[in-house]
Structure formats: C-alpha cells, structure tokens
Amino acid sequence: MLTYTIRRLLLAIPTLLFISLVIFLLVDFAPGSPMSQIPLTVPPDVRMKIIEAMGANEPVHIRYLLWLNQFFVVEPLVWLDGTLGTTYSEGMQRIISWQSRSPVMDVIAQRIPQTLTVIGTSYVLGVLIALPIGIYSAYRQYSWFDQIGTFIAMIGFSVPTFFTGLVLILVFAVNLQWFPSIYDTNLRVTDWESFLQQVRQMAMPVMVLALYNAAQISRYMRSSMLENLGQDYVRTARAKGMGERTVVLKHVLRNSMIPVVTVIALGIPTIFGGAIITEQVFRVNGLGALLIGAIQGSDLPMVQTLTFIFAMLIVLFNLIADILYGILDPRIRYD
Amino acid sequence: MTDVTIEKPRSQWADVWAQFKTHRGALVGLVVFALLILFVSVGPLIWTKDPTAINPNAAEMIKSRNKPPSLASPLGTDQLGRDMLARMMKGGQVSIAVGLVAMTISLFLGTLVGVMAGYFKRLDGPLMRLTDLFLALPLLPLLLVMVLLFRDPLSAAFGPEGGTFLLIVCAIGVTSWMQAARVVRGEVLALKEREFVLAARSIGTPSRRMILRHILPNVVSPIMVAATLGIASAIITESALSFLGLGFPPDFPTWGRLLFDGAEYIQQYPERVIWPGVAISLTVLSVNYIGDGLRDALDPRIRGR
C-alpha cells in the first residue's frame, strides 16, 4: 500500500508541472494581454518601465521559473511565518495582483471561507440525499420510486445550475420572499438570530448545488448497487438464511460503496468549477466571483494562480480517490 | 411436412431502432428534440421578424419596449423593443449549432486519439498520459481564460460573430474529447484481439485500411452515445459562458445570452428568464434521454430482451 501511494504521489508531480506550464503559457502567449494594451502615445522608455514594473520584460522561461518559485517556495514560507512568527520570507517577492496591488494569496485567503461554507454544505447535503435514494431505487428497480427518482436525477443534471438558481430566486425570493436573493458576506454568526439569517441566505445556493450533486451521485449509487445485487455472493448470503437487511445494507452496500466513494472524491474539485456559476447567480463573494472579476480585469497573476489552485485541487482529489480505491479494494493495489 | 417459415433477415439498424422504440423516454426525447430543431430552423422562415432590429425612431423604440405577449409578438419584446420569439429562434440556432459543431470537433479528436492509442502500442502510453493530463485541467476556468484572451483578436480576424463562434466551438471541442478517447481506446483494445482482425492482418491489410475498414465501423456505437452526451454538455457549457458574460457579444442572441440579459429584469419580467431557460433545459434533457435510449439500443447484450 505504501509503494502504491508513493508511486501515485510521484506521478502527480510531473502532472502538476505540466498543468502549471499549460496555464502559464496559455495566459502568457495570449494576444490580448495587458502588455499590448498600453496606449501607443506612451513614450518608449516609460513603456519599458511599465513592463518592467509588471515583471514582464524577462524571457518566458525565466518568468515561468520565477512564478513557480513564488508559488511553491515563497508563498508557503509566508504562510509558515504567519503561523509560527518566523521571518524566513523577509525580502522575498510574493505574487502580486495587478488589480489590487496586494498579494494574491491574501485575497484568496479572504475569499475561501465563503466558498467552503456554501459548497461544503451543499456537497455533504447532496451526498446524504443521494445515497439512500440510490440504494432504495436499486433495491426496488423499476418501481414507481425508482422511476420518479431516475426522472428527477435526469432533470437534476440536465437543467443547468444557473437556470435552477434563477427559478429558485423567482419562486422563493421574488414571489414568496422567504430568502434573500443576494448573499451577505459581512454577516457574522453571533447569536441565534444571525444564525437563522445565515441559514436563510445559504438555503438557495445550497439547494441548487445539492440537487445537481445528488442527481449525479444517486445515479452512480443506483447502478453500482444494481451490479452487486446480481452477484453470486448475494445469493449465497440469502441462501444461508441471512436477513434481507444484513444482505443489502452490509454485504451489497459495502461492496457498492467502493466506486461511489471514489466518485464522491472526484466530484469535489469539479464542484468548485461549477460553483463559479452558482456564486455568480447568488452573488456569493467567493473564489468563483474572484476569478470572474480577475478575468474581466485582465489580472493575469490572479487568474494564473487561481486556475492553478483549481488544477491542484483536481490532482489532489484524484490522488485521494486513487488511494481510497486502493484501501477499499485490495485487488487494485497489486497491479 | 411442416411449414418452415424463414424470418426475413433483419439489418442491424432495424434491430437497434426496434430496441430504441421500447425506451419511452428516449422516444419522447427524440420527438422533443426534432420539434426544437424545427422551431429554430423552420421557425424563422414563418416568423420573419428581424431578431436584432431596434426601431431607429427613439420615441417609437421606447414605446415598443418590454411589451407583454400579444399577437404582434407572442412572447413580448425585450428592453430594447426586439421581438422575443424571433430572438428565441435565432438564439436556438446558435446554441444548437454550437452544440453540434463542438461535439463534432471533440468526437473527431477523441476518436483520433482513442484509435491511435488503442491500435498502435507505441502511442498508447504517451497518448493516455496526455488524456490524463487534460482530465486534470480545470476546464471551466480555462475556458473562461481562453475566451477572455482570444476573443478580441479572433473577432478582428473573422468578424465579431464568426470569431466568437469559432473560438467557443474550438475551446469546447479541445477541452471535452477525453471521455470519448478513453471509451474508444477501450473498445479498440478489445477489438484488436478478435479473429476477424487477425484474419484481416494475415492477408496483409495495411494499418490505414485496417482502421478505416475494420476498426472504425465497429466502434460506431460508443461514439454515437458519446456524441449525444457531447451535444448536451456543449450546449450547457456555451450557455454557461454566455451567462457569465464571456460568450457571444450582447447584440447576438443565444439562449444563454438571453437568459443573462433577462436575469436583470427577473423581478418585473420573469418570463424572459423562463423561456430561454426552459429551451436549454428541454434540449439538454431530450438529448440526454436520446443518449440513454441509444446506449441501451446499441448494446447487443440488452437488445432483443
């Protein structure tokens, strides 16, 4: 198991390097970069100064290495200094946003809590809804419960989240006026009253994302259960007189959870991407909104860093899914 | 003597159709999808209002704004007095065209990579590593970045509409071929072990003809299923881009763009969000159901049961 984990870890390094290179080059070689947007009336020496101030006068490979150094050496050191009170990173150049002139990582750190509360809650809720539905509709295949569940799941992942979001706003915010349509980031949960308000403003974004996630996971759960229900060991378990409950909830469920757990792990980074849209609909001031703002303001360091963080999340959760698969299914480890 | 009735030989596609017909959702999906295609392709021939015409007379234009549904414009008019029905048709044309073209690009790439990786052992490792790398890219952020950075140069080269269309279609195609490639590779690997491939090789069939004659026709079914799902995801991606304001230019309607424009007026005129939203959802839902039915119909293990 250890060698398996180490092998997966080593494979992740070239993947991350390649992705960082792709992101860096894509953003860098693009013809629409801010360097080309400096007005032509600016004198050449001033123009050189501007480009130099942006750090854009070096050749591409140097800038790539500098960025890698900033991302993998300087920023962790800054974080270390912040938590331990040391001064390793003194005098080192951090990744600076072109828009706000403040370090990119500080801005990101401010935005992460909003994204995590909304997305985390919705994902957990989605999984909690999806698993029982998937189990029961597989157990009673083609029953009315299964038919309705399949139909709702189909709707759940066919209807785009920005449309479900707008419909929910229309119903619950405009007509019924139960929930606010705009997420208030400044709300501090201090007492029961503000907690209720937080729940109310989270209700709609969480509903949208939970429906979307539950739709996908319940389908996986259902097909995985169906596959296992037809296996020989289920017949054996029933033949030796085990209760139906034990057969389904112990034998079948445990075996069908193996692929589902990895699907759940793999889904976590993709919902960060999907949340970009939901955050935009409900004006949640999180990472997605930050990315959209940076893209519209041509803030290349912010875009590069954020996109790379999303990529790192994907690689990380791929790794976690692989390792989980190895732990849960011994057959995988020995190939 | 007994009568031996010999059944008429049935073609493979008749079998597939017979199985497809038993899937009720898929059949309904097919009908709905056909109606939507008719709506956006034949509709503009019947309903000939210009979707982008703004009344040049300012006073008239202001009077014609935000009209409720009437005989002159069955879905009302938007905030600039443009006819919503005509805009829905035009927008649907663009959205569905984006879906079809992007799907074609991604399938072409996916099939190419899949067949190459499956057929030539030397290419298998590198190509599959490449596929894994692409799967690890954060697609929506990258798409947004691509649109931001390449929109202006391409618009200058091919006109604002053509340039954006080309960009969005290529961007979606290039970032969505990986699933198809994996499926096709798996199928090709299995096919390569079959006797007819061995027979073809033993009479000296060159690789090119081997792939075109023997391999490709046998991987058509997974490709078709991938195609339907590809249309659905491409339409969703395009409308998501338009919804984030990074798709087509404002005066150029697509369903996603109409939804984005309508979102500002959701309190006063909710129907302006509902129509394009329902259209996108119906298209994607019907295409997904067709894909579901096709998967069952093309699977010979299920067919005939």
Side-chain angles (χ1 to χ4, degrees):
Chain A
M1 193 62 214
L2 190 66
T3 48
Y4 174 79
T5 312
I6 290 173
R7 204 168 58 208
R8 304 301 311 182
L9 263 175
L10 287 180
L11 258 178
I13 296 171
T15 314
L16 275 177
L17 281 179
F18 171 82
I19 291 171
S20 69
L21 188 66
V22 167
I23 293 170
F24 191 86
L25 290 184
L26 180 71
V27 174
D28 205 78
F29 280 147
S33 78
M35 261 79 83
S36 60
Q37 285 167 3
I38 302 171
L40 287 174
T41 47
V42 172
D45 53 326
V46 178
R47 180 199 215 47
M48 274 315 292
K49 285 256 169 60
I50 296 176
I51 291 178
E52 218 168 294
M54 286 169 149
N57 56 338
E58 307 277 357
V60 180
H61 58 277
I62 303 267
R63 266 180 295 138
Y64 174 61
L65 291 179
L66 272 177
W67 181 72
L68 275 188
N69 178 43
Q70 284 175 339
F71 192 91
F72 285 109
V73 179
V74 179
E75 294 298 340
L77 279 181
V78 170
W79 177 77
L80 203 69
D81 289 355
T83 43
L84 299 180
T86 48
T87 51
Y88 291 118
S89 64
E90 233 175 20
M92 286 185 181
Q93 175 66 44
R94 301 182 67 186
I95 307 176
I96 301 291
S97 154
W98 286 352
Q99 248 178 336
S100 60
R101 297 270 141 206
S102 57
V104 165
M105 285 299 178
D106 292 358
V107 185
I108 292 176
Q110 289 167 2
R111 301 295 189 95
I112 282 181
Q114 285 86 283
T115 300
L116 277 187
T117 32
V118 174
I119 290 182
T121 322
S122 64
Y123 204 62
V124 171
L125 201 67
V127 171
L128 288 183
I129 297 172
L131 295 186
I133 291 181
I135 294 168
Y136 193 72
S137 39
Y139 187 63
R140 295 245 177 274
Q141 199 190 1
Y142 302 129
S143 66
W144 61 267
F145 182 88
D146 181 31
Q147 305 271 2
I148 293 175
T150 311
F151 182 67
I152 292 178
M154 202 67 162
I155 288 182
F157 66 75
S158 292
V159 179
T161 46
F162 47 86
F163 182 52
T164 20
L166 287 175
V167 169
L168 285 188
I169 287 184
L170 201 60
V171 173
F172 292 111
V174 178
N175 288 337
L176 295 174
Q177 308 214 323
W178 286 357
F179 307 127
S181 72
I182 291 180
Y183 190 91
D184 177 11
T185 320
N186 289 325
L187 186 73
R188 292 275 163 275
V189 179
T190 47
D191 50 1
W192 186 243
E193 190 61 27
S194 60
F195 176 74
L196 273 185
Q197 206 178 337
Q198 173 74 13
V199 168
R200 265 206 301 279
Q201 69 174 356
M202 271 175 63
M204 285 200 294
V206 167
M207 251 195 276
V208 169
L209 284 174
L211 173 72
Y212 182 73
N213 296 323
Q216 287 186 323
I217 296 170
S218 73
R219 294 273 291 198
Y220 277 114
M221 188 73 229
R222 176 177 177 271
S223 62
S224 173
M225 282 288 283
L226 278 179
E227 204 159 286
N228 275 293
L229 275 170
Q231 298 274 332
D232 288 343
Y233 72 84
V234 181
R235 200 185 314 129
T236 312
R238 281 187 180 138
K240 69 182 187 186
M242 280 183 140
E244 196 61 15
R245 207 184 177 77
T246 336
V247 173
V248 175
L249 291 185
K250 265 220 174 105
H251 290 68
V252 180
L253 181 61
R254 281 195 185 170
N255 281 298
S256 355
M257 278 308 280
I258 296 172
V260 176
V261 164
T262 60
V263 164
I264 291 173
L266 286 178
I268 293 174
T270 53
I271 58 163
F272 274 94
I276 293 175
I277 296 166
T278 318
E279 286 187 359
Q280 204 68 8
V281 174
F282 295 102
R283 308 280 189 271
V284 180
N285 199 11
L287 286 183
L290 184 63
L291 180 70
I292 301 282
I295 284 177
Q296 278 160 353
S298 287
D299 185 356
L300 296 193
M302 180 71 86
V303 173
Q304 276 167 344
T305 312
L306 265 180
T307 318
F308 189 57
I309 288 179
F310 283 129
M312 275 176 68
L313 282 176
I314 297 181
V315 173
L316 176 71
F317 281 99
N318 271 330
L319 197 69
I320 292 177
D322 274 349
I323 293 172
L324 271 180
Y325 215 111
I327 293 174
L328 293 172
D329 192 344
R331 287 169 299 181
I332 302 291
R333 274 175 245 164
Y334 304 115
D335 63 334
Chain B
M1 222 176 113
T2 49
D3 271 342
V4 180
T5 49
I6 298 169
E7 260 189 63
K8 254 173 69 180
R10 294 177 306 170
S11 79
Q12 184 198 358
W13 294 108
D15 266 8
V16 169
W17 174 240
Q19 173 69 31
F20 187 81
K21 271 193 302 191
T22 61
H23 194 302
R24 215 178 321 137
L27 218 54
V28 174
L30 195 63
V31 172
V32 170
F33 191 59
L35 286 178
L36 278 163
I37 297 264
L38 274 184
F39 172 70
V40 302
S41 58
V42 181
L45 301 178
I46 301 166
W47 188 256
T48 47
K49 273 198 180 170
D50 183 359
T52 53
I54 302 173
N55 202 325
N57 184 341
E60 291 288 313
M61 191 278 277
I62 289 175
K63 263 193 257 170
S64 69
R65 289 188 317 172
N66 299 329
K67 279 278 163 58
S70 65
L71 271 184
S73 49
L75 297 183
T77 57
D78 71 352
Q79 73 277 12
L80 293 172
R82 293 170 292 194
D83 183 62
M84 274 304 283
L85 182 59
R87 284 175 79 70
M88 283 290 294
M89 288 171 179
K90 178 73 185 164
Q93 271 178 14
V94 180
S95 288
I96 291 179
V98 167
L100 290 175
V101 179
M103 175 273 289
T104 315
I105 294 175
S106 97
L107 271 194
F108 175 76
L109 283 175
T111 314
L112 188 73
V113 172
V115 169
M116 288 295 150
Y119 192 80
F120 300 106
K121 212 168 205 158
R122 263 179 308 133
L123 294 176
D124 192 18
L127 281 179
M128 280 301 110
R129 285 291 83 70
L130 184 75
T131 314
D132 287 346
L133 288 176
F134 262 85
L135 278 171
L137 289 174
L139 294 181
L140 190 61
L142 268 192
L143 274 174
L144 293 172
V145 172
M146 274 154 96
V147 172
L148 163 83
L149 296 169
F150 293 96
R151 184 162 54 176
D152 293 340
L154 278 177
S155 298
F158 299 98
E161 284 141 37
T164 319
F165 186 83
L166 203 68
L167 171 62
I168 288 187
V169 157
C170 290
I172 296 177
V174 167
T175 51
S176 62
W177 53 269
M178 292 80 75
Q179 308 294 346
R182 285 190 151 185
V183 175
V184 170
R185 170 181 172 267
E187 291 280 318
V188 173
L189 279 180
L191 275 177
K192 248 175 52 176
E193 306 299 319
R194 299 274 288 273
E195 284 80 7
F196 71 91
V197 174
L198 186 66
R201 180 169 296 142
S202 64
I203 58 169
T205 318
S207 291
R208 194 174 62 88
R209 194 166 323 138
M210 193 80 153
I211 291 173
L212 291 178
R213 254 334 232 300
H214 299 287
I215 304 281
L216 269 186
N218 281 300
V219 292
V220 162
S221 14
I223 292 179
M224 274 173 68
V225 175
T228 50
L229 303 180
I231 295 178
S233 70
I235 289 178
I236 287 198
T237 313
E238 184 273 323
S239 36
L241 286 179
S242 295
F243 183 77
L244 293 172
L246 283 161
F248 284 90
D251 50 347
F252 193 66
T254 73
W255 282 339
R257 184 82 219 181
L258 292 177
L259 197 66
F260 177 63
D261 291 341
E264 280 179 46
Y265 300 91
I266 187 165
Q267 300 215 357
Q268 300 96 319
Y269 311 106
E271 68 276 5
R272 236 181 261 162
V273 170
I274 301 291
W275 288 120
V278 166
I280 297 171
S281 312
L282 265 186
T283 316
V284 175
L285 198 61
S286 63
V287 168
N288 275 342
Y289 264 113
I290 295 173
D292 232 28
L294 264 185
R295 188 176 4 213
D296 289 356
L298 290 170
D299 190 343
R301 284 169 302 179
I302 297 179
R303 206 190 302 149
R305 271 204 294 167

